[in-house]
Amino acid sequence: MLERMLELVDESTPPDGPDGPVAVLERRLAELLGKEAALFFPTGAMAQQAVLRVHADRSGRRTFAAHPQSNLDLWEEQGYNAVHGLRFHRTGDPFELMTAEDLAATGEPLAAAVWELPQRDLGGRLPEWDDLCHQVALVRASGAVAHLDGARLWEAQTYYRRPFDQIAALFDSVYVSLYKGLQGVRGAVLATDADTARAVGVWRRRLGGDITDAWPLALAALAGLDTLAPRMSAYRDHAIAIAAAINADGTARTCPAPPQTPIFHVHLPAPRKLVEQAGAALLAEQGVQLWGRVRSGPDPFRCSFEVTVGENAMEFTPDEVTALIHDLLARVERGARTSPEDRPEPASTTHPI
């Protein structure tokens, strides 16, 4: 990545202006996504709130629909409402993908509907292509616009196996992250038509997102586009192999099985607190970190964590990952002996370790 960044810049490269890295990144992503214009934002939260505000102001409607586990609601302190006065219509089952039937049942005029592809909190799941097309057509027929939360669009494309511009063509506006799959420093890009981009640009300035000296962030993103985006299919293949080994072993299970993208969840027959303690010990002793966070669930004796396969995960074979899960659960069992209230319930799918 660093070598590629250095190749993209030299002492004659202007930091700003039409030939600067930010402008180059915006033009490149507009072309890749088949949109008239693209705008750099320091955060995805700002980008999505700004474009939803513009869609709402144009339509005179204040409500947008999205899955109940949309990060717009879960992880951004409801900024869409606090800053922009928008309303969020939770659409569908929290633990299933949003469907056309769910969208048809919203029962109120919408400014926009938002699709997160893939749905991270459901294990990187995606609707089938025909289903997605039907959902978008249904929303557009109601007078609403379609917006793509494509933070992980690079991963989603490995399942749809369609050009990025064909996927993006379904949507009036598309947000992509520059630091997740592309492993940039931070930032986001919003791609849309020229008129919408101009209106969104006004909100970018109002929200303090029209920053100077963003060229290092753009360089990191450009390097990721060149070096990591072409690797996504390999990451997905490795994710499928790892999940197959985990499910064949039976100690844990994955969702989905098989993964649709390089992202999936591993479900463990153990309580979250003990799993976190065991994971911390594993990291301290072996230097291996299995997750960013452990997710609890309705069953207090089960939990899950997300796996996103990238360059680091490519260094581990499926059997090695399965062995790490065995090691983790052995540590959980030892911890449960000192905390009987957290002892996992016996499960027929759990092998002796």
Side-chain angles (χ1 to χ4, degrees):
M1 284 279 288
L2 179 58
E3 291 179 359
R4 181 56 187 152
M5 287 178 66
L6 293 175
E7 292 172 3
L8 291 167
V9 65
D10 57 32
E11 63 273 9
S12 66
T13 302
D16 296 306
D19 297 319
V22 173
V24 170
L25 175 67
E26 290 174 337
R27 286 196 298 268
R28 183 167 171 184
L29 285 178
E31 181 179 0
L32 181 68
L33 298 172
K35 299 299 184 185
E36 292 178 346
L39 291 175
F40 172 86
F41 278 82
T43 70
M46 186 185 294
Q48 296 206 95
Q49 288 178 27
V51 75
L52 288 175
R53 172 64 180 262
V54 169
H55 291 322
D57 286 348
R58 283 180 171 174
S59 67
R61 303 171 178 180
R62 310 310 297 170
T63 303
F64 69 93
H67 190 271
Q69 296 208 53
S70 170
N71 65 286
L72 286 160
D73 189 57
L74 289 181
W75 304 111
E76 297 174 12
E77 299 292 341
Q78 299 179 343
Y80 58 84
N81 179 262
V83 179
H84 302 284
L86 304 181
R87 295 189 298 271
F88 172 40
H89 189 115
R90 293 169 181 81
T91 306
D93 188 306
F95 303 106
E96 298 289 341
L97 288 170
M98 190 166 65
T99 67
E101 290 75 16
D102 296 328
L103 288 162
T106 54
E108 64 175 320
L110 300 174
V114 179
W115 286 261
E116 181 185 350
L117 302 179
Q119 190 81 44
R120 181 187 183 186
D121 286 313
L122 297 184
R125 292 171 61 190
L126 290 162
E128 294 302 320
W129 180 255
D130 289 346
D131 292 338
L132 178 61
C133 292
H134 178 51
Q135 291 172 30
V136 171
L138 182 71
V139 165
R140 283 208 166 122
S142 73
V145 302
H147 172 71
L148 173 57
D149 177 345
R152 295 168 178 81
L153 179 59
W154 324 112
E155 290 88 341
Q157 191 271 343
T158 65
Y159 182 72
Y160 289 134
R161 298 184 182 276
R162 297 170 183 272
F164 285 104
D165 59 352
Q166 185 178 357
I167 299 171
L170 291 177
F171 303 94
D172 299 278
S173 51
V174 177
Y175 141 69
V176 293
S177 173
L178 303 180
Y179 71 89
K180 296 181 173 71
L182 297 185
Q183 294 184 17
V185 180
R186 68 181 174 111
V189 164
L190 181 86
T192 185
D193 63 273
D195 288 343
T196 301
R198 279 190 289 271
V200 170
V202 174
W203 276 103
R204 180 178 65 174
R205 195 173 310 114
R206 286 171 174 161
L207 296 171
D210 197 8
I211 61 175
T212 58
D213 297 328
W215 62 268
L217 309 180
L219 277 181
L222 287 166
L225 277 173
D226 290 338
T227 61
L228 298 179
R231 297 271 291 150
M232 289 294 167
S233 291
Y235 298 157
R236 177 178 181 266
D237 291 344
H238 198 54
I240 291 171
I242 291 173
I246 292 171
N247 291 319
D249 175 76
T251 302
R253 59 184 177 84
T254 74
C255 180
Q260 293 174 286
T261 69
I263 305 168
F264 62 92
H265 288 179
V266 177
H267 292 257
L268 300 171
R272 179 181 60 84
K273 183 170 70 174
L274 289 179
V275 168
E276 289 176 336
Q277 293 170 354
L282 187 66
L283 175 60
E285 294 175 19
Q286 299 187 27
V288 177
Q289 184 174 1
L290 286 174
W291 55 71
R293 69 182 178 94
V294 181
R295 300 161 183 261
S296 60
D299 184 344
F301 295 101
R302 301 192 70 87
C303 65
S304 65
F305 65 89
E306 175 187 293
V307 173
T308 298
V309 174
E311 286 302 304
N312 289 342
M314 295 292 281
E315 298 178 4
F316 293 84
T317 68
D319 288 343
E320 287 172 335
V321 175
T322 301
L324 285 169
I325 292 174
H326 276 266
D327 187 349
L328 178 78
L329 290 177
R331 295 169 187 269
V332 168
E333 181 61 28
R334 291 195 294 271
R337 295 191 189 110
T338 60
S339 302
E341 70 276 10
D342 289 324
R343 183 182 296 276
E345 292 183 340
S348 59
T349 58
T350 303
H351 293 175
I353 300 174

